[in-house]
Amino acid sequence: MKIWHGGDIQTLANRAECRPDEIIDFSANINPLGPPDGLRQAVSRGLDDVVHYPDPYCRTLCERVSGMFSISSERVVFGNGSTELLFALPGMLGVKRAVIPAPAYIDYETAVRRVGLTAVFEPLDPEAGFIIDPDKLEKNLSGKEMVILGQPGNPSGAMCDTDILLSLADKYPDTFFVVDEAFADFAPEYESLAAIEKKNLIVLRSMTKFYAIPGLRLGYAVAAAPLAKRLRGALPPWSVGNIAQAAGAAVLEDPSYATKSREAVTRLRQDLTKDLTVLGGMTVFASAANYLLVRLDEKKMSARDLAARLLSRRIAIRVCDNYRGLDETYFRVAVKTEEENRILLSALADIWASASEVKTRFRPRPRVPAVMFQGTSSNAGKSVLTAAFCRILLQDGYRVAPFKAQNMSLNSHVTRDGGEMGRAQVVQAQACRLDPDIRMNPVLLKPSSDTGSQVILMGKPIGNKDVTGYIDYKTRAFEAVKQAYNSLSAESDAMVIEGAGSPGEVNLKSHDIVNMTMAEYARSPVLLVGDIDRGGVFAAFIGTMEVLSRRERAMVAGFVVNRFRGDPTLLGDAFEYVRRHTGVPTLGLVPYIHDLGLPEEDSVSFKARGNIGREKGNDQVEIAVIDLPHISNFTDVDPFYLEPDVFLRVVRNPGELGRPDAIILPGSKNVPGDLSFLQKTGLAESIRAMKEEGAFIIGICAGMQMLGKAVEDPHGLESNIESGLGLNLLRIRTVLQEEKTLTVTTARHAASGLELRGYEIHHGESVGEDLRPAVVREDGVVMGYESVDGRVFGTYLHGLFDADPFRRWFIDRLRISRGLSPLTEVQAVFDIEPALDRVADIVREGMDVAAIYKRMGLR
């Protein structure tokens, strides 16, 4: 297996009998962070200039470099990679021979021999760490030669003392010193020799390694102005294209990337050095670069045999037996990401290590097959598709669980053990036929203002945080997220993960814990969902891919077009266009599903539902639901949508109220603020007027609190309004307490005697006077009151209307009040099982489930 350079990914893939993107390539030393984020933007803009010839002098790039080193731009020469410059130098300098400390980058020798120069090699001692000995080097110098050396050296990563180099350059003015700083940007605190001007000093710098753009080929030389002019004349014209020039200018503008890269690579290199040493039987040489040279000291196998065995696992390393001075025991590995390094260590432990404890130490973190649904926007349908795919996997015999690292919703649920989580994950748990579990949604954010939220971590509130405070907290939150995922996935055959918003929200990407960061941790392929009903779905797919990094784009397995109405055959050309542009196939075309029969994820869908586009029938009662600014747990009214004799009206102002038979005040995350809204809009006065006209008024949780005399928030839990006057329809007073009540509840409705099941989520404690108990918990605690005439009723019980018999009793009471005959028998069963199966069947029909299973690692 002759591979003279690292990074020949196609040859490696052919030998491993796999796709190139399946190879983990440790043979090429490229920045593991990938290119800077601004690269893709620059390349995209640069495409408009391909109709013009490039600037032959790369003036913009030369000016950027001159600014970096405070030197004249006339000293800077750009080429099509530093290799082009290296190959131009030997013939241009007019020397007779070249001195090369070895082992060294193989193309040093190739470049000098190509023009007939004699190559003299100065061996570097491995026991001295391959550090250049200036005395030995000097013995080879007489003038009229060139010295080529790496700073740091390749493959060793060793650094030479720059003072020694400069001293030799001064002592031998007729010798050209070519210092290759291709990997110098990775070296902590190294100061480039580019800033120093000497007539016999030439510094080569590569941009392809540090900025991870080897495919663009870009490098430069810095020399004294006369020497730079000669080198510029030795190059072919227009060797650096417009796109490469645009990319180079963009990446040089981002100093934060350079700092971040050095810090990350230094940490990763130190960790990898330590871990390789633990394997035993090998020497890991100290390096300042983003690679490590390793010698196998135990004669179990050669480096070439080791490379072959690793390649069978789709891991490539660089065998170094073709470097002068190195034999079959040497190999080189790039420093890559923490996850990739761990995969290499695990494979090496299996192949090389003998101690069982070493093998155990590097055993890879188990990967449970997973798929993640992300969206081009909020409300693209991710939650429903996640639930549907959970049910599909369940139907196919897998133990499956849902997961969403972070959810922002006012619509929450209480688990059996008293933890609070998002309602969307509850529906997804039902799709898996699992009990809701806080591990499925470890972080829940409940907005309390435009800039702040209550943070629920692992089911328990930890306080309110503004945006900045929560961003600072995210690192700790993500640790809890990872622990929750590890624990839940260990009990499952497959995981279905939901993202939030869009992965393309560039203002959030740097501190993301719910989209691509979570997909990377779970090692999950991503399906990107777009809502075609909104329009612009294909542009949204392409646009989202454009703002993702290379690492993120690689995780996108396919697109899913959601909520389609029409003839599918009309979309073939669009699918092909998107595939050609992004390289990603469309794996799903899901039709618009009318009457889902599933609880909505958030208030976006609830508000969009409005008055559901139909007129009230003569045999229907009318219920008005007040759409509060901070509405929460609006799914309490979902069962009414199933009832044939109920017209549900969503009301946002007094003009929409009409003359309903009942008004429901739902939950709220900001009771004082929503009370103020009711007062200012006139809805408070209208609700009181409707009560006088005989309408029933029902308050659930915060809605009950608002029906009372007053609500006090002395601790500022929900707003900065310490006290607010209620609607004064129930004689209760509420004080919001710091301790939050979270419990699953069984209770009984006093007037009907019917059993109720639900949950409580509230900070408030309400005390009533001269009121009748309306809802009594099984332990005798009163958790709801009603007025003497029974027309005003409030309770802390969420899920009040889920019970079919009680809901029918309540509707019949409204019918009698309106003068209609009661129907007595249950008309609708609130059971989402049939809906889940129906939605799963539709989604299965519209998606390439076999292809998705394959990407997940199933079957």
Side-chain angles (χ1 to χ4, degrees), residues 30-224:
I30 307 302
N31 191 331
L33 272 61
D37 287 343
L39 175 71
R40 196 169 186 87
Q41 299 153 308
V43 169
S44 180
R45 291 194 307 269
L47 283 172
D48 290 336
D49 292 329
V50 297
V51 297
H52 305 295
Y53 283 101
D55 175 4
Y57 303 108
C58 303
R59 293 177 181 89
T60 299
L61 285 172
C62 291
E63 288 171 3
R64 294 277 163 83
V65 172
S66 73
M68 285 169 51
F69 297 112
S70 299
I71 60 177
S72 167
S73 61
E74 293 181 356
R75 293 184 54 203
V76 185
V77 182
F78 266 86
N80 185 25
S82 60
T83 298
E84 180 181 60
L85 300 164
L86 170 67
F87 274 70
L89 282 170
M92 183 210 81
L93 293 175
V95 295
K96 301 295 184 183
R97 65 194 187 105
V99 178
I100 305 173
Y105 177 48
I106 290 170
D107 275 345
Y108 296 166
E109 179 179 354
T110 305
V112 299
R113 292 198 185 280
R114 183 165 291 185
V115 294
L117 269 64
T118 300
V120 177
F121 298 95
E122 176 58 44
L124 300 176
D125 184 1
E127 303 311 317
F130 297 99
I131 295 174
I132 293 173
D133 184 328
D135 295 331
K136 291 182 179 180
L137 179 62
E138 189 174 359
K139 290 178 180 178
N140 291 294
L141 305 182
S142 58
K144 299 299 181 182
E145 69 266 312
M146 64 186 299
V147 176
I148 313 176
L149 55 89
Q151 182 73 326
N154 179 7
S156 69
M159 299 291 287
C160 179
D161 188 320
T162 55
D163 289 338
I164 292 174
L165 287 177
L166 295 174
S167 176
L168 286 172
D170 288 337
K171 190 172 182 179
Y172 295 91
D174 294 330
T175 297
F176 291 100
F177 289 82
V178 179
V179 180
D180 182 4
E181 293 185 348
F183 297 97
D185 285 323
F186 292 106
E189 301 179 3
Y190 174 73
E191 293 186 11
S192 172
L193 293 179
I196 297 172
E197 183 172 7
K198 291 183 181 296
K199 68 176 185 178
N200 61 337
L201 176 64
I202 303 162
V203 178
L204 296 178
R205 292 181 62 84
S206 168
M207 296 181 65
T208 61
K209 285 82 171 174
F210 188 72
Y211 293 103
I213 53 172
L216 282 176
R217 310 304 306 139
L218 191 61
Y220 60 95
V222 180

Side-chain angles (χ1 to χ4, degrees), residues 289-347:
N290 63 326
Y291 48 83
L292 294 171
L293 181 64
V294 183
R295 182 179 65 206
L296 300 175
D297 296 326
E298 294 182 3
K299 306 301 180 183
K300 299 179 183 179
M301 63 186 77
S302 69
R304 195 163 292 276
D305 291 335
L306 177 62
R309 294 182 65 175
L310 286 171
L311 191 57
S312 70
R313 301 180 183 216
R314 300 177 182 179
I315 300 169
I317 62 173
R318 172 68 160 92
V319 177
C320 295
D321 58 1
N322 63 331
Y323 282 91
R324 285 187 179 271
L326 303 184
D327 58 24
E328 71 280 358
T329 64
Y330 287 88
F331 67 92
R332 190 194 67 201
V333 292
V335 174
K336 296 185 77 66
T337 66
E338 186 173 344
E339 185 68 29
E340 290 169 322
N341 289 345
R342 189 163 188 86
I343 293 171
L344 170 68
L345 290 162
S346 175

Side-chain angles (χ1 to χ4, degrees), residues 531-809:
D531 179 2
I532 197 171
D533 201 46
R534 293 182 175 186
V537 69
F538 300 110
F541 286 147
I542 293 171
T544 300
M545 293 292 285
E546 284 294 307
V547 299
L548 297 181
S549 69
R550 178 183 179 278
R551 172 182 58 82
E552 292 167 336
R553 287 194 302 277
M555 289 187 273
V556 179
F559 302 123
V560 177
V561 176
N562 196 25
R563 298 174 180 149
F564 176 67
R565 314 175 199 235
D567 181 357
T569 62
L570 300 177
L571 299 182
D573 290 344
F575 291 164
E576 181 58 21
Y577 179 91
V578 172
R579 188 197 62 77
R580 288 197 307 267
H581 196 101
T582 65
V584 175
T586 298
L587 296 180
L589 177 61
V590 179
Y592 194 102
I593 304 175
H594 297 274
D595 300 322
L596 271 173
L598 300 177
E600 298 288 0
E601 177 195 10
D602 55 35
S603 59
V604 174
S605 302
F606 170 76
K607 293 172 187 291
R609 216 171 191 177
N611 296 321
I612 63 174
R614 57 188 175 89
E615 295 296 325
K616 175 179 171 294
N618 292 330
D619 194 44
Q620 288 184 312
V621 296
E622 182 176 341
I623 300 174
V625 184
I626 306 300
D627 182 10
L628 301 166
H630 303 94
I631 190 171
S632 68
N633 293 80
F634 50 84
T635 48
D636 283 336
V637 302
D638 274 0
F640 287 117
Y641 284 105
L642 302 176
E643 297 290 353
D645 59 337
V646 172
F647 179 78
L648 202 65
R649 182 187 297 277
V650 179
V651 173
R652 300 178 177 93
N653 59 66
E656 295 176 344
L657 189 57
R659 300 177 63 84
D661 299 290
I663 298 172
I664 295 177
L665 271 172
S668 165
K669 192 61 191 68
N670 186 333
V671 180
D674 283 349
L675 263 177
S676 177
F677 163 79
L678 293 176
Q679 303 286 0
K680 289 178 180 177
T681 59
L683 272 169
E685 183 179 344
S686 296
I687 291 169
R688 285 192 289 263
M690 285 298 99
K691 191 269 179 185
E692 294 303 318
E693 292 188 22
F696 288 82
I697 315 295
I698 300 93
I700 302 175
C701 197
M704 179 182 75
Q705 296 170 359
M706 287 186 272
L707 292 178
K709 291 183 174 183
V711 178
E712 298 178 14
D713 187 6
H715 307 289
L717 297 173
E718 297 186 357
S719 76
N720 56 8
I721 304 173
E722 290 190 9
S723 180
L725 293 178
L727 303 188
N728 202 23
L729 293 176
L730 278 179
R731 300 183 67 182
I732 60 172
R733 290 183 176 274
T734 300
V735 178
L736 302 185
Q737 304 291 351
E738 290 185 296
E739 190 68 25
K740 193 172 193 178
T741 298
L742 297 166
T743 183
V744 174
T745 302
T746 299
R748 192 163 296 279
H749 182 246
S752 67
L754 294 170
E755 184 178 78
L756 305 172
R757 293 179 181 272
Y759 54 95
E760 297 179 65
I761 308 176
H762 57 91
H763 281 284
E765 289 187 4
S766 300
V767 179
E769 52 184 79
D770 299 330
L771 292 169
R772 297 190 304 193
V775 178
V776 181
R777 221 161 54 190
E778 58 185 353
D779 60 4
V781 173
V782 176
M783 55 179 304
Y785 302 95
E786 66 179 9
S787 60
V788 174
D789 62 4
R791 288 189 172 271
V792 181
F793 159 48
T795 179
Y796 275 119
L797 185 68
H798 289 289
L800 172 71
F801 296 111
D802 289 3
D804 301 330
F806 173 73
R807 188 173 66 254
R808 175 42 50 192
W809 177 89

Side-chain angles (χ1 to χ4, degrees), residues 395-414:
Q395 291 170 341
D396 290 347
Y398 294 101
R399 294 180 306 159
V400 58
F403 187 84
K404 185 168 186 175
Q406 172 191 291
N407 200 351
M408 178 175 280
S409 176
L410 289 171
N411 202 25
S412 60
H413 174 85
V414 176

